[in-house]
């Protein structure tokens, strides 16, 4: 659901670890401009769309450990992690 976090614009920490996530909607984080820490570890995420994190301009850290990612493109975080 792409508007799941729509009303949580002031959220700064989000822990989605151990949720058996496989795919993340491209707009899932679009309203979380103040998010600083994102934890996605211990899921089954296989791929990350290049636009997934584009609106996370305040993000300082992300944990992607223990997923099914084959690669992570360097430009994935070009607009996000400070």
């Amino acid at each position: 659901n792409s508007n799941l976090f729509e009303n949580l614009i002031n959220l700064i920490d989000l822990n989605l670890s151990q949720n058996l996530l496989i795919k993340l909607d491209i707009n899932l984080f679009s309203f979380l401009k103040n998010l600083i820490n994102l934890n996605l570890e211990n899921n089954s995420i296989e791929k990350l769309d290049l636009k997934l994190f584009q609106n996370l301009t305040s993000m300082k850290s992300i944990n992607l450990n223990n997923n099914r990612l084959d690669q992570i493109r360097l430009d994935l975080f070009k607009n996000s992690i400070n």
Side-chain angles (χ1 to χ4, degrees):
N1 190 346
S2 64
N3 59 357
L4 183 65
F5 302 117
E6 184 175 5
N7 296 318
L8 299 173
I9 58 170
N10 292 316
L11 186 70
I12 58 171
D13 290 303
L14 179 58
N15 186 344
L16 296 175
S17 63
Q18 301 183 30
N19 279 289
L20 303 174
L21 298 171
I22 296 171
K23 184 175 181 179
L24 302 173
D25 184 283
I26 191 171
N27 295 309
L28 182 63
F29 305 121
S30 62
F31 296 98
L32 300 179
K33 296 187 186 328
N34 293 310
L35 189 69
I36 295 174
N37 302 303
L38 177 59
N39 187 350
L40 295 169
E41 75 177 322
N42 297 319
N43 282 292
S44 295
I45 300 169
E46 298 175 341
K47 185 177 179 184
L48 298 170
D49 188 281
L50 281 176
K51 296 182 180 182
L52 182 64
F53 304 123
Q54 73 180 1
N55 292 320
L56 298 181
T57 54
S58 298
M59 190 164 63
K60 301 282 186 206
S61 71
I62 183 169
N63 187 344
L64 293 166
N65 289 329
N66 298 318
N67 277 285
R68 295 184 178 169
L69 294 165
D70 289 333
Q71 64 178 338
I72 298 175
R73 291 183 48 160
L74 291 176
D75 53 349
L76 183 66
F77 305 107
K78 68 180 177 186
N79 295 326
S80 52
I81 295 181
N82 293 315

